[in-house]
Amino acid sequence: MTSPGSNPRVPPAPGSNVPGSIPRVLPHVPSIEVEAVSFAYPEGTRALTDVSLRIEPGETLAIVGQNGSGKSTLVRHLNGLLRPTGGRVLLDGADVRPVHVAHLAARVGLAFQNPDRQLFAGHVSAEIEFGPRNLGIRGAELAERVALALAAVGLESVATANPYDLGYSRRKLLALASVLAMRTPVLILDEPTTGQDARGVARVQDVVARAAAEGRTVIAISHDMRFVAECFRRVVVMRAGRVALDGPPSAVFAEAAWPELRASYLEPPLPAVAGARLGLGATPTGGAVVAALAAGPRNR
Amino acid sequence: MSMTRLPDYVVRRPSGFYRSTNPGTKLVVAALEVLAAFLLPGWIGPAVVLAAVLATAAVARRLRGLATFGLAASPIVGSILLVNLFLLPGASDPIARLGPLAPTWSGLWFGLQTVARLLAFSSAIALVYLTTTVDDLLADLSRRGLGRRAIFVVGAAVQMVPLTIERAGEILDAQRARGMDTEGRIWRRARGVLPLAGPVVFGALTEVEERTMALEARAFSAPGRKTLLRVPRNGRIDRFLLWAALLALVALVGIRVAGRLG
Amino acid sequence: MAIELSAVRYRYAGASVFALRSIDLRLEPGRVVGVVGANEAGKSTVCLVAAGLAPGVVGGLLEGSVRIDGVETATLRPHELAQRCGLLFQNAATQLSNTTATVFEEVGFGPCNLGLPVAEVGDRAWWALGTVGIEKLAPRDPARLSGGEGQLVALAAVLALRPKYLVLDEPTSELDPAGTSLVAEALGRVARETGAGILLVEHKTDVLARIADEVVVLERGAVALAGAAAPTLADPRLAELGVEPPAAVKLERMVREAGIEWSAALAEAIR
């Protein structure tokens, strides 16, 4: 599933998520600035209030929070699906407001939570082709992208199947592959691990790790604190449309932040709790607990 | 814990003029009005019906809602007027000459009459909607013996509309996020029909099986009569109005058919 | 007194392979049995078969025996099954009837279908709402509930039929952590207070670690592991079977594998 053949005819696309290989052309990864963004839905529901974030190129960022806290609304601003009612969203310093979503989609990919809101094609490969085709990709480049995206989520064996004959978890991986094939320098995943078994979660973790290794920006919305703590370098906690916490997992899951987490209806992952009980300091992951214990003498 | 009384919000009946009238009665009255708007000749039908509907709506304090319906109908109203004004076949009494266009008096009158019929017909139906909740209507139909499957289909269809609109919005977003052009030229947008219609249809189909099973798991197909928690008012006035409307309806149709035949 | 599946094989209509190849399973009143397994191992199918909807409602071919309190499910009609075994799916939205104005009436929908007297419907609705702990939601519009609330209402709606058994297919998979906790607590309470037997398919093994008495692990349509919850969830073969072990099990394993001496203090901290 590695080593893409050279393909001189087609100009390199922005970004490349070739699994297991060095991308041929490093994508230009934009910085993202969310400046004091507020958003109210037309019927008046206020979903975001004064949200400010700066996301550097290549960051891995997890957004957590209760349902309805504004996570999905926030990421829909990053690819222009929603336009802020107050504040601005900038890609590389340029306001995205005048840019068509179809153009932003080439730079910011977004995989939705529910695959059944997007799958339509008669077979799996055609479904994956849809995004790259919209970006003008054709021919050998297209075929290669489809093959690599299928490999990245482990669906090679069902390339010709009808998406609706796949189970929910595989439909969800297919929706992920269909966005991966667009090779966007920014990748946003909305609840990528829900409904996945251990192998599916490992697939998703692998996708995140590879995209990050290629220098792309990866943003994920998730309820899975273990996934968040292990795969992301930065965590943003949303509560009632505002940013409640923002920092590395070691800070956001540290004991000092627990009251704020619980006010946001979240629980820290077990390693963080265990580390605090053992007086090990901030240990957001199992690995961190083991490292702190191994560094022993335990001063408890 | 025994609280045999049903909560107020279930047993409470709607109050206020016409709003408290039995839903089935309102449905028959509306049917009468719709027929009258079309079957009574000339201006009489639409004028009588519009007057009746507006008066009822005014006393029931639903004029504002009715006005919204009127506004929503305005594009259709406008186009009917324009088409008839300029293009009524056989009309030869021009109001004025505007280059190649010749609006006619008979076109204007015919257009106005058509619009009046349309407004009378739609406002009669709108008034039922504005003065009745779907649940009360379903409960009344159920009380009157409509089968539970029919009730379920009607109720679910009504409630599915907002759900489907919401789902379609999300599907549109998902495909735009994959680079589908919905802001560019028309011909590019037309290509987006399948990616949008596909998930709406497939999504609904995959849900049907789950819905069916969930219903069966709640004894939906149990034999016998279903218990009704919500029992709409059906007093003497409601029944009188119902029978009066039914008689008028039969009379109207009878006169019309006889008129045709004779 | 139990739901018993013995030597069950099941194939969906039109399918060439058996979704269930060999299932033996027993669910007794008052017990919570967790079912885990990789995707497409047959978990949802087990739910449909145990609740009697497959093949009764969805068709297909069933071999072996599925009995509820000694009665073969094949001989029972759907509304009779519904009073013995309640069934709950992952998506709250598809389980609500879409025909009721309030949560109270939604919960009363099942008893109304049975044609019970109004007073009895009222009693059952209040009882079910109280058992799940959502009396407060009673006046609300079912179409305007959050995912967690919707799932609790769906649970109460099934409970109102007073089934002795409940079969739940990933009831928390669409929920946030707070919603998951609410549903898990409600299920624990239902098992304790109503004596119902609960068969719970759940990816989140942490939920099972909290409320399950037994755990069954499926692999390609057959039972691969089964036993008391704690040892089964700590079984080293779990990961090979595509199941994420509970957080505490994973952490203990990491610590031990790193060669760190296990101690009472560690056990106390990682629970």
Side-chain angles (χ1 to χ4, degrees):
Chain A
M1 59 188 243
T2 55
S3 87
S6 66
N7 189 6
R9 276 188 309 108
V10 187
S16 170
N17 63 317
V18 184
S21 77
I22 308 291
R24 283 158 297 164
V25 179
L26 278 172
H28 171 71
V29 184
S31 66
I32 302 171
E33 283 161 277
V34 176
E35 282 187 357
V37 162
S38 293
F39 181 78
Y41 283 95
E43 80 277 7
T45 316
R46 201 168 176 76
L48 294 176
T49 307
D50 199 23
V51 171
S52 291
L53 288 175
R54 184 183 163 82
I55 305 168
E56 300 299 337
E59 260 195 299
T60 54
L61 173 87
I63 305 175
V64 301
Q66 207 185 8
N67 288 343
S69 61
K71 308 181 298 290
S72 294
T73 307
L74 174 60
V75 298
R76 279 166 166 77
H77 278 81
L78 305 184
N79 71 345
L81 281 176
L82 295 176
R83 309 288 172 163
T85 44
R88 298 191 299 171
V89 175
L90 310 173
L91 279 189
D92 272 346
D95 197 331
V96 303
R97 182 171 285 278
V99 187
H100 282 184
V101 178
H103 293 146
L104 283 170
R107 306 173 76 191
V108 182
L110 168 58
F112 276 58
Q113 180 179 358
N114 186 347
D116 298 342
R117 296 287 183 271
Q118 67 166 72
L119 303 181
F120 69 95
H123 58 97
V124 165
S125 296
E127 187 68 52
I128 299 181
E129 282 177 10
F130 179 73
R133 268 185 192 283
N134 284 331
L135 303 185
I137 310 297
R138 298 288 186 276
E141 163 92 12
L142 184 62
E144 185 203 4
R145 284 188 178 209
V146 170
L148 291 171
L150 279 171
V153 298
L155 292 180
E156 306 97 316
S157 62
V158 291
T160 56
N162 184 320
Y164 279 90
D165 288 337
L166 305 180
Y168 179 83
S169 52
R170 291 209 279 181
R171 293 208 296 280
K172 184 136 178 156
L173 290 173
L174 169 58
L176 172 58
S178 76
V179 173
L180 280 182
M182 294 170 73
R183 297 193 184 166
T184 52
V186 178
L187 184 60
I188 307 177
L189 312 174
D190 194 345
E191 296 285 359
T193 61
T194 51
Q196 297 294 346
D197 59 12
R199 292 175 198 131
V201 172
R203 286 276 181 203
V204 173
Q205 283 181 314
D206 195 45
V207 164
V208 171
R210 285 180 194 281
E214 290 162 9
R216 299 201 281 159
T217 302
V218 184
I219 301 168
I221 291 175
S222 184
H223 290 317
D224 182 344
M225 296 304 141
R226 188 195 61 78
F227 170 64
V228 165
E230 287 181 6
C231 300
F232 295 85
R233 288 203 292 269
R234 181 176 169 193
V235 182
V236 166
V237 178
M238 302 276 303
R239 183 167 83 224
R242 293 173 190 271
V243 173
L245 288 168
D246 181 355
S250 56
V252 166
F253 295 130
E255 199 168 1
W258 291 357
E260 192 71 35
L261 273 182
R262 292 194 169 127
S264 306
Y265 298 94
L266 298 172
E267 288 291 326
L270 179 67
V273 178
R277 284 179 185 147
L278 293 166
L280 298 173
T283 53
T285 63
V289 171
V290 169
L293 286 171
R298 270 166 274 153
N299 42 352
R300 269 173 273 145
Chain B
M1 179 168 74
S2 181
M3 294 181 62
T4 45
R5 271 200 53 207
L6 297 180
D8 262 359
Y9 43 80
V10 175
V11 291
R12 187 171 53 213
R13 293 167 187 173
S15 60
F17 177 77
Y18 209 59
R19 278 176 276 169
S20 59
T21 304
N22 179 280
T25 300
K26 279 187 276 195
L27 217 51
V28 175
V29 170
L32 171 68
E33 287 167 340
V34 167
L35 278 177
F38 282 101
L39 294 186
L40 292 179
W43 286 96
I44 304 172
V48 169
V49 171
L50 269 177
V53 170
L54 286 175
T56 316
V59 185
R61 297 175 182 280
R62 285 293 180 271
L63 268 184
R64 186 189 288 264
L66 216 49
T68 315
F69 267 88
L71 274 182
S74 58
I76 303 175
V77 166
S79 56
I80 289 176
L81 274 179
L82 283 177
V83 166
N84 283 300
L85 188 59
F86 291 106
L87 301 171
L88 185 71
S92 55
D93 45 354
I95 303 170
R97 280 245 160 244
L98 307 166
L101 296 172
T104 60
W105 288 112
S106 47
L108 179 64
W109 287 120
F110 187 79
L112 282 174
Q113 210 176 82
T114 310
V115 164
R117 277 186 211 283
L118 180 83
L119 286 179
F121 149 82
S122 54
S123 63
I125 293 169
L127 188 63
V128 177
Y129 177 81
L130 289 170
T131 57
T132 317
T133 66
V134 175
D135 317 283
D136 287 326
L137 179 61
L138 291 180
D140 195 49
L141 293 178
S142 179
R143 188 184 60 81
R144 290 174 189 276
L146 194 63
R148 64 175 79 180
R149 270 164 216 284
I151 296 282
F152 179 78
V153 168
V154 174
V158 170
Q159 306 246 7
M160 283 304 278
V161 172
L163 284 178
T164 306
I165 291 173
E166 195 182 308
R167 169 183 298 168
E170 208 182 315
I171 291 165
L172 181 63
D173 277 357
Q175 308 304 36
R176 290 170 75 199
R178 293 162 83 195
M180 191 179 85
D181 195 348
T182 54
E183 294 156 311
R185 293 199 206 108
I186 281 285
W187 69 270
R188 293 207 56 156
R189 286 193 242 170
R191 292 196 310 204
V193 171
L194 178 65
L196 295 181
V200 174
V201 175
F202 286 124
L205 285 180
T206 51
E207 274 181 16
V208 165
E209 188 168 51
E210 197 162 300
R211 282 184 190 283
T212 310
M213 292 191 290
L215 279 177
E216 293 293 2
R218 292 170 70 191
F220 184 66
S221 54
R225 249 185 122 83
K226 186 179 149 86
T227 308
L228 287 177
L229 298 184
R230 215 171 255 268
V231 184
R233 187 185 86 169
N234 194 24
R236 202 179 299 171
I237 300 174
D238 299 276
R239 281 177 311 209
F240 171 74
L241 198 58
L242 174 75
W243 284 109
L246 272 176
L247 277 176
L249 210 151
V250 171
L252 184 66
V253 174
I255 290 168
R256 207 43 219 234
V257 170
R260 278 273 158 78
L261 296 178
Chain C
M1 291 300 250
I3 293 187
E4 291 161 294
L5 280 68
S6 36
V8 163
R9 282 160 60 79
Y10 174 76
R11 196 175 69 190
Y12 283 99
S16 54
V17 291
F18 278 82
L20 301 182
R21 294 180 299 128
S22 162
I23 302 285
D24 289 275
L25 196 151
R26 186 178 166 86
L27 173 66
E28 285 169 21
R31 305 280 287 174
V32 178
V33 175
V35 177
V36 294
N39 288 319
E40 292 161 48
K43 304 188 297 295
S44 296
T45 311
V46 161
C47 289
L48 295 181
V49 167
L53 285 185
V57 173
V58 298
L61 174 72
L62 181 81
E63 295 169 12
S65 138
V66 181
R67 277 178 291 184
I68 297 186
D69 294 342
V71 184
E72 287 286 341
T73 56
T75 65
L76 294 168
R77 292 154 71 193
H79 72 276
E80 294 169 328
L81 282 165
Q83 293 170 74
R84 290 168 169 80
C85 179
L87 182 62
L88 204 68
F89 301 105
Q90 57 177 285
N91 186 355
T94 60
Q95 302 176 77
L96 301 178
S97 74
N98 271 336
T99 58
T100 54
T102 64
V103 164
F104 183 87
E105 288 159 280
E106 184 65 34
V107 173
F109 179 80
C112 281
N113 283 333
L114 294 176
L116 299 173
V118 170
E120 166 97 25
V121 172
D123 273 350
R124 284 186 176 211
W126 281 125
W127 170 81
L129 287 164
T131 306
V132 180
I134 51 168
E135 288 109 323
K136 277 206 315 270
L137 296 181
R140 296 264 302 274
D141 177 354
R144 296 180 187 283
L145 299 171
S146 73
E149 290 168 342
Q151 197 60 285
L152 292 174
V153 170
L155 175 61
V158 164
L159 271 187
L161 288 161
R162 298 252 163 102
K164 213 152 71 192
Y165 306 96
L166 282 175
V167 172
L168 305 109
D169 189 0
E170 298 191 41
T172 71
S173 75
E174 304 275 307
L175 305 182
D176 60 14
T180 301
S181 291
L182 284 177
V183 170
E185 278 163 30
L187 287 177
R189 195 158 52 238
V190 166
R192 279 194 310 277
E193 292 179 10
T194 72
I198 296 180
L199 189 73
L200 174 59
V201 169
E202 183 58 75
H203 273 303
K204 296 171 187 166
T205 43
D206 283 311
V207 169
L208 294 182
R210 265 169 71 188
I211 63 172
D213 300 304
E214 296 160 46
V215 168
V216 174
V217 188
L218 299 184
E219 188 196 25
R220 287 183 293 120
V223 175
L225 281 178
T232 309
L233 289 173
D235 194 300
R237 287 169 288 177
L238 212 57
E240 295 158 31
L241 294 166
V243 179
E244 180 96 8
V249 170
K250 281 188 80 170
L251 192 49
E252 176 176 342
R253 197 168 292 155
M254 283 182 83
V255 169
R256 285 180 188 272
E257 279 170 4
I260 292 160
E261 197 187 331
W262 190 247
S263 65
L266 279 170
E268 173 64 18
I270 305 175
R271 64 182 143 78

